[in-house]
């Protein structure tokens, strides 16, 4: 059991998998998120879901279908769900104090969107003193600014490599 480590699964919400505009390789990433959840559950590692609260009219507007966690992502009794209104889940929430109370010092981070919420979450967690492992092949996004999604993902892994440990799903040992 890894009580000092938690899996932080960021913004794995229905809108990110919408048939009309899914994130890059959505089905493959969903399988990776499920595998990380299975590994965490098998080892007794706490699971924390981060859920973005979008503004009125946005695809992840609070309490709409797009805001819900993906239906294939299973929430179990004891999991924590953190609601956020910014890119990272520490500011304006109780996440940091809850992690401190639970004695969690290491975070394994995966989820969506690479260049916004994943990058900001990794940076803030590092700033707060957590040992951060980013699952480098378990975060995704959309193509943006003339770059395809794969290039954006690779750039974020490169940008964060000096702040976090980079693991692939196949390397994760929880």
């Amino acid at each position: 059991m890894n009580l000092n480590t938690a899996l932080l699964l960021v913004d794995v919400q229905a809108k990110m998998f919408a048939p009309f505009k899914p994130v890059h390789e959505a089905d493959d990433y969903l399988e990776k998120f499920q595998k990380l959840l299975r590994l965490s559950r098998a080892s007794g590692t706490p699971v924390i879901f981060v859920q973005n609260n979008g503004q009125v009219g946005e695809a992840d507007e609070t309490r709409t279908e797009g805001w819900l966690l993906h239906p294939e992502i299973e929430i179990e009794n004891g999991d924590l769900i953190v609601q956020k209104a910014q890119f990272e889940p520490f500011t304006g929430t109780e996440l940091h104090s809850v992690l401190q109370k639970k004695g969690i010092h290491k975070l394994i981070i995966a989820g969506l969107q690479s260049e916004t919420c994943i990058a900001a979450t990794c940076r803030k967690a590092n700033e707060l003193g957590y040992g951060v492992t980013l699952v480098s092949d378990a975060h995704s996004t959309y193509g943006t600014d003339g770059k395809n999604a794969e290039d954006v993902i690779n750039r974020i892994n490169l940008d964060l490599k000096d702040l976090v440990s980079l693991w692939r799903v196949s390397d994760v040992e929880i």
Side-chain angles (χ1 to χ4, degrees):
M1 185 176 272
N2 289 305
L3 293 178
N4 73 337
T5 301
L7 172 65
L8 200 63
L9 200 52
V10 179
D11 297 349
V12 183
Q13 292 169 255
K15 76 147 188 145
M16 304 302 277
F17 299 88
F20 57 88
K21 191 178 178 189
V23 292
H24 173 68
E25 296 184 0
D27 291 338
D28 291 338
Y29 282 94
L30 185 58
E31 287 179 26
K32 291 175 182 181
F33 301 146
Q34 290 168 323
K35 181 174 183 181
L36 290 170
L37 283 169
R38 284 191 303 275
L39 288 168
S40 295
R41 306 238 193 262
S43 68
T45 300
V47 174
I48 301 167
F49 294 99
V50 176
Q51 189 174 24
N52 192 66
N53 291 328
Q55 299 296 314
V56 173
E58 293 179 335
D60 61 353
E61 176 183 339
T62 305
R63 310 250 185 280
T64 64
E65 282 191 37
W67 170 81
L68 298 171
L69 294 176
H70 189 284
E72 293 181 33
I73 297 294
E74 292 186 27
I75 302 167
E76 291 189 1
N77 194 19
D79 291 346
L80 177 64
I81 300 176
V82 175
Q83 307 288 314
K84 68 176 179 63
Q86 301 185 42
F87 287 148
E88 50 85 8
F90 295 98
T91 303
T93 73
E94 295 182 4
L95 179 59
H96 182 55
S97 64
V98 168
L99 293 174
Q100 287 182 316
K101 287 177 189 169
K102 291 181 177 260
I104 294 172
H105 306 290
K106 298 176 187 174
L107 297 173
I108 298 170
I109 298 174
L112 307 166
Q113 256 180 268
S114 303
E115 74 281 14
T116 54
C117 299
I118 293 299
T121 298
C122 287
R123 286 186 177 102
K124 187 67 174 185
N126 178 271
E127 179 184 314
L128 292 170
Y130 292 96
V132 179
T133 297
L134 173 60
V135 187
S136 64
D137 62 341
H139 63 92
S140 188
T141 192
Y142 303 96
T144 184
D145 296 331
K147 295 189 190 303
N148 67 41
E150 198 168 303
D151 288 342
V152 175
I153 293 164
N154 290 334
R155 188 195 80 228
I156 293 306
N157 288 335
L158 188 62
D159 288 352
L160 294 173
K161 72 177 176 57
D162 293 332
L163 292 178
V164 304
S165 297
L166 294 173
W167 289 357
R168 299 180 57 78
V169 171
S170 59
D171 299 330
V172 174
E173 296 176 9
I174 307 179

